[in-house]
Amino acid sequence: MTGTGGTSISDPQGPVHSGGGDQNNTYYYSVGPREPLVRAGVDRLEIVREHRRRLAKCFVWPGGYTRVADRLAQPGAAVLLEGPPGIGRRSAATMLLMGASVPGSRIEELPTVREEEPFDPSPDDRYLLDLSSIGDGDYPAVQRTLMSYCALVEKSGARLVAVSPSGLEWMLDPELAPLAVHLERPSGRAVFSRHLRVRGVGFAYEQLDHGDLPHLFETAPMRELDRLAGLVLQARDRAGRGTEFEHWRDEAVAAATNWSQQVAGDLRQHRDAEERALLLAASMTSGGPADTVLSAAHSLLGVLGHPQDETPRLARAGLGEQFEELSLVREDDGRVRFVRLAYDDAVRRHFWENFPDLRADFRNWVGECMELPGLGAEDRARLVSRFAEQALRTDRPDDLHLLIEKWSRPSAGGRLLRAEAAAALELGLSHERYGSRFRSHVYQWVTTARIEPDLARVLTVVCRRVMAVTHPEQAMVRLRHLALRQENPEDIKEAARSALLELARGNRRLYGRLVHRLLPRARPVDGGLDILLALLDPAELRVHPPWQAFVLAWRAVMAGKPTAAWSPSVQRWLAALTLRQAGDEVLNALLLAAYGDRDLLNQLYVTTCDWADSEPVDMPEGFRAQRDDRVRTADRFCREIDLAQGVGGVSSATGARRTEEGP
């Protein structure tokens, strides 16, 4: 039971200024399709921290940034960032909140639609509200939500930065107008230069005045300049020794700007359906085995209903010849890759952009490809990532929803694809534009009348390891529903309970919220008392609990559970007090919980005496106390219990049992 409370995910730090003159930083922040997924067992908290550390190194201040930072220095401040799309407003919002953070504070993203949990910020909390994807039809309602957030933030002394939707400034409510600050586009050259340096790519400043680069510096979104710097690094690593920056730069720029025309030209030369199917299959499974690429192409033709070629197989081109025609190479390890840098990405984009009527078929095809025997776990993860990128880029998040449900059901052969479903859901939740939509969809899933067990398992894992990092309160709502659904298998309920307890045990506010949602009202919530009882055990608690919620939880548990269920936790708290791991407020809380109920006070008395006489054999190692110390604590507590019952005199806890009648 250690720690100060709160869940820190921001690792606050400022940009590093390593030279003379003004400092300008910007960075496009997103956990995107190329990031490690849930299936890899990666700590999501560390991913977020690493991104923000990198953000601190790469960020270039846009115009207006200093003015916003000055505003956020005031407790209770809220600002609304305006500006054209692509200038890094979300990155600026994240950096502003990092700069306004204090040790132990949290940066949490708020939902655009208020959910069932009340919004109750504390002074150290920092909030991001991204409205950049909101349309004009939803903007009036979202502004009302923003107003309610701002009022509570101002009252509590927290901080809030919201990102407005571009082009809807004319719809801004006059009440919010004082919060608006316009950001200007930062220097694209400075952004690109910083990303190159952070990646360890050396260059001369004049080498950036070449070809399309000056135009990209003026027009490209910050995310594209980040991607371009990454392509330069890939080109350098591919080229090896004996090459210079100009070679890497030109190859990267070609990959970023020319491949779309190149792909269109190649497809004009390859109009045969089998060739195009092989090209798309190779782009989706690039890095996979050659046999799998061919099987994926055949699967695509089948999904599209293309008639089979009646030409005898030996009379047709061999696989190596087909690869050569399409600028594909089969490496020594048998895996297939494109010759040109990032050409596979351009091929995927071309098919999704130019064949919109086939996007549903592409979705169904990807769903079938997961069953290909040649695809390993890493191959399937790449396929999920590539499909999600295209589906979300073309505004088709429902394609991911459908596949998540499909992969969460046992297939005809009994094969389960929960890892792929979890990966797809993580990508949706991490998307800047559609993340809130996926969080809402998770809520719909967990509150629906019936949910497939494997989908419930996927949702539990993703809520615990993804959503809980940046949206802990929303994760808690969803996990609570999963834990309390009586029709869920016991392993699902237990996993959800474990995730709930993990969240609440490390955060005082979440602890209090969970207690209040689980307290019995008209009738006890099925399974709720069991969660409350586990929450009261000090062995796993990492924060000092909020005492009002602590008392209410004890009252509910003592009234609703048999003494044998809750007495071990009472004895552990007495041990914690004896060992100075807790203060006297524990005794006060236990007395208040039982106050007015003579039977409960008597049971509390007996539980204390039993602990003083003989330490339980299952007492955790860190809660074992010497007998004399136990007796002193027990004597003191028993006197308090006597006083609470209005009984005079002093009783010894050593071997004592309550016999007097209370008033």
Side-chain angles (χ1 to χ4, degrees):
M1 190 186 64
T2 59
T4 58
T7 304
S8 174
I9 66 171
S10 57
D11 192 21
Q13 55 184 286
V16 178
H17 193 16
S18 58
D22 296 334
Q23 178 177 357
N24 295 308
N25 296 291
T26 204
Y27 175 63
Y28 169 71
Y29 169 70
S30 174
V31 180
R34 294 176 178 81
E35 296 306 321
L37 302 173
V38 169
R39 61 178 301 135
V42 179
D43 182 355
R44 188 71 182 193
L45 178 60
E46 186 54 37
I47 292 175
V48 173
R49 285 173 171 163
E50 178 56 33
H51 270 268
R52 291 181 178 171
R53 282 192 287 266
R54 188 164 175 258
L55 171 57
K57 297 176 182 178
C58 296
F59 187 70
V60 178
W61 291 359
Y65 182 90
T66 304
R67 187 165 66 255
V68 185
D70 290 342
R71 285 197 192 184
L72 283 179
Q74 301 301 317
V79 295
L80 180 64
L81 302 183
E82 295 182 339
I87 66 169
R89 288 171 300 154
R90 183 183 171 95
S91 301
T94 304
M95 277 298 299
L96 287 163
L97 291 169
M98 289 169 64
S101 293
V102 296
S105 66
R106 301 177 299 114
I107 298 178
E108 183 176 336
E109 187 168 353
L110 294 172
T112 56
V113 178
R114 295 284 295 274
E115 295 186 349
E116 58 189 68
E117 295 297 316
F119 180 56
D120 183 23
S122 62
D124 290 341
D125 291 336
R126 305 295 181 260
Y127 294 102
L128 169 64
L129 180 62
D130 191 349
L131 309 179
S132 58
S133 63
I134 298 297
D136 54 1
D138 297 325
Y139 197 31
V142 170
Q143 288 186 75
R144 291 192 291 272
T145 300
L146 174 58
M147 290 177 194
S148 66
Y149 284 147
C150 290
L152 293 171
V153 164
E154 181 180 7
K155 181 179 179 181
S156 67
R159 310 291 199 282
L160 168 64
V161 179
V163 179
S164 71
S166 295
L168 298 183
E169 290 81 4
W170 60 276
M171 294 183 63
L172 186 64
D173 191 288
E175 188 174 335
L176 292 172
L179 305 182
V181 179
H182 187 83
L183 296 182
E184 299 174 358
R185 180 183 175 87
S187 165
R189 180 187 293 270
V191 171
F192 185 61
S193 300
R194 182 60 61 92
H195 280 290
L196 288 176
R197 291 194 178 100
V198 168
R199 287 174 166 86
V201 178
F203 64 96
Y205 199 70
E206 58 272 11
Q207 290 176 313
L208 303 184
D209 293 318
H210 178 79
D212 292 331
L213 277 180
H215 176 69
L216 292 174
F217 294 156
E218 295 295 327
T219 61
M222 299 300 108
R223 64 173 64 87
E224 293 302 323
L225 295 179
D226 178 12
R227 176 173 176 268
L228 181 60
L231 290 173
V232 172
L233 179 62
Q234 290 183 45
R236 186 194 70 177
D237 294 343
R238 281 164 53 107
R241 296 182 179 180
T243 56
E244 301 294 338
F245 176 79
E246 288 89 347
H247 174 81
W248 316 329
R249 173 202 63 198
D250 294 345
E251 188 175 4
V253 171
T257 61
N258 297 338
W259 287 167
S260 58
Q261 293 90 346
Q262 182 69 44
V263 171
D266 286 348
L267 286 179
R268 282 193 291 270
Q269 302 297 319
H270 302 288
R271 294 189 176 275
D272 182 79
E274 292 190 351
E275 289 181 315
R276 291 186 170 187
L278 188 61
L279 188 66
L280 178 55
S283 74
M284 294 295 289
T285 61
S286 177
D291 293 353
T292 301
V293 174
L294 182 61
S295 298
H298 289 164
S299 174
L300 176 57
L301 292 172
V303 169
L304 296 177
H306 187 271
Q308 291 186 354
D309 188 351
E310 299 297 334
T311 306
R313 182 67 187 92
L314 286 177
R316 286 181 271 159
L319 190 55
E321 184 180 345
Q322 295 179 65
F323 285 165
E324 185 177 353
E325 284 287 328
L326 299 174
S327 298
L328 293 165
V329 60
R330 180 164 43 185
E331 304 285 2
D332 293 340
D333 59 2
R335 294 185 174 268
V336 177
R337 296 174 180 83
F338 283 86
V339 175
R340 303 184 185 96
L341 174 67
Y343 195 74
D344 57 331
D345 182 60
V347 171
R348 293 190 293 270
R349 293 173 67 94
H350 179 92
F351 275 96
W352 255 265
E353 287 176 357
N354 291 282
F355 297 90
D357 52 324
L358 297 181
R359 289 170 184 166
D361 292 315
F362 293 160
R363 176 199 66 216
N364 296 335
W365 168 58
V366 169
E368 287 192 5
C369 282
M370 288 299 164
E371 303 290 342
L372 294 176
L375 281 181
E378 292 185 5
D379 299 319
R380 292 197 300 272
R382 285 195 294 265
L383 181 55
V384 170
S385 174
R386 290 161 179 169
F387 171 76
E389 184 176 18
Q390 299 308 315
L392 297 175
R393 189 179 59 81
T394 54
D395 302 323
R396 294 178 63 91
D398 288 344
D399 283 349
L400 275 185
H401 295 154
L402 290 171
L403 285 184
I404 290 166
E405 291 181 338
K406 173 183 173 64
W407 293 336
S408 299
R409 295 193 298 265
S411 66
R415 182 179 179 186
L416 300 179
L417 293 167
R418 292 199 302 268
E420 284 65 41
L425 183 53
E426 179 183 9
L427 291 167
L429 291 169
S430 302
H431 196 265
E432 288 189 3
R433 180 174 182 182
Y434 289 113
S436 61
R437 182 165 174 171
F438 277 86
R439 288 189 292 275
S440 296
H441 210 88
V442 172
Y443 183 78
Q444 294 171 16
W445 272 324
V446 301
T447 56
T448 193
R450 183 177 182 275
I451 183 173
E452 290 286 347
D454 285 307
L455 179 57
R457 292 183 177 93
V458 168
L459 299 179
T460 301
V461 170
V462 173
C463 285
R464 181 176 196 162
R465 298 185 56 185
V466 179
M467 195 184 298
V469 174
T470 51
H471 301 80
E473 294 197 27
Q474 294 182 59
M476 188 176 72
V477 170
R478 290 148 180 79
L479 287 168
R480 192 184 71 244
H481 282 287
L482 288 166
L484 299 179
R485 290 175 65 102
Q486 291 305 304
E487 64 271 23
N488 279 345
E490 191 58 38
D491 69 304
I492 295 174
K493 292 190 288 186
E494 179 56 36
R497 284 195 294 264
S498 175
L500 264 180
L501 293 169
E502 182 180 308
L503 275 173
R505 285 166 173 163
N507 185 296
R508 283 172 56 87
R509 183 177 61 176
L510 295 182
Y511 188 108
R513 294 281 177 83
L514 183 56
V515 166
H516 285 289
R517 296 302 300 187
L518 293 175
L519 287 175
R521 290 175 174 81
R523 66 179 183 85
V525 179
D526 291 337
L529 288 178
D530 292 330
I531 298 176
L532 284 177
L533 180 59
L535 199 58
L536 291 171
D537 192 335
E540 302 293 333
L541 201 58
R542 303 189 302 278
V543 296
H544 297 292
W547 296 112
Q548 182 184 30
F550 189 69
V551 171
L552 293 173
W554 269 117
R555 181 72 179 183
V557 167
M558 288 178 174
K561 303 285 285 186
T563 305
W566 52 260
S567 59
S569 288
V570 170
Q571 293 174 345
R572 292 182 185 185
W573 277 110
L574 293 174
L577 175 64
T578 302
L579 298 171
R580 298 184 179 180
Q581 297 175 6
D584 288 345
E585 60 270 13
V586 171
L587 300 184
N588 296 332
L590 292 171
L591 286 171
L592 284 173
Y595 191 80
D597 190 316
R598 184 172 57 194
D599 288 340
L600 286 181
L601 288 169
N602 281 336
Q603 292 166 9
L604 198 58
Y605 191 103
V606 172
T607 295
T608 304
C609 293
D610 287 343
W611 170 73
D613 283 345
S614 176
E615 192 170 58
V617 294
D618 60 348
M619 182 69 72
E621 186 65 32
F623 290 82
R624 295 187 178 277
Q626 296 295 321
R627 188 176 189 279
D628 290 346
D629 295 332
R630 297 200 309 272
V631 168
R632 280 193 292 271
T633 299
D635 283 344
R636 180 155 63 98
F637 193 31
C638 286
R639 285 195 296 270
E640 296 291 339
I641 295 173
D642 284 339
L643 291 174
Q645 297 195 91
V647 176
V650 176
S651 300
S652 171
T654 308
R657 291 295 181 272
R658 186 83 180 103
T659 57
E660 299 92 334
E661 291 295 326

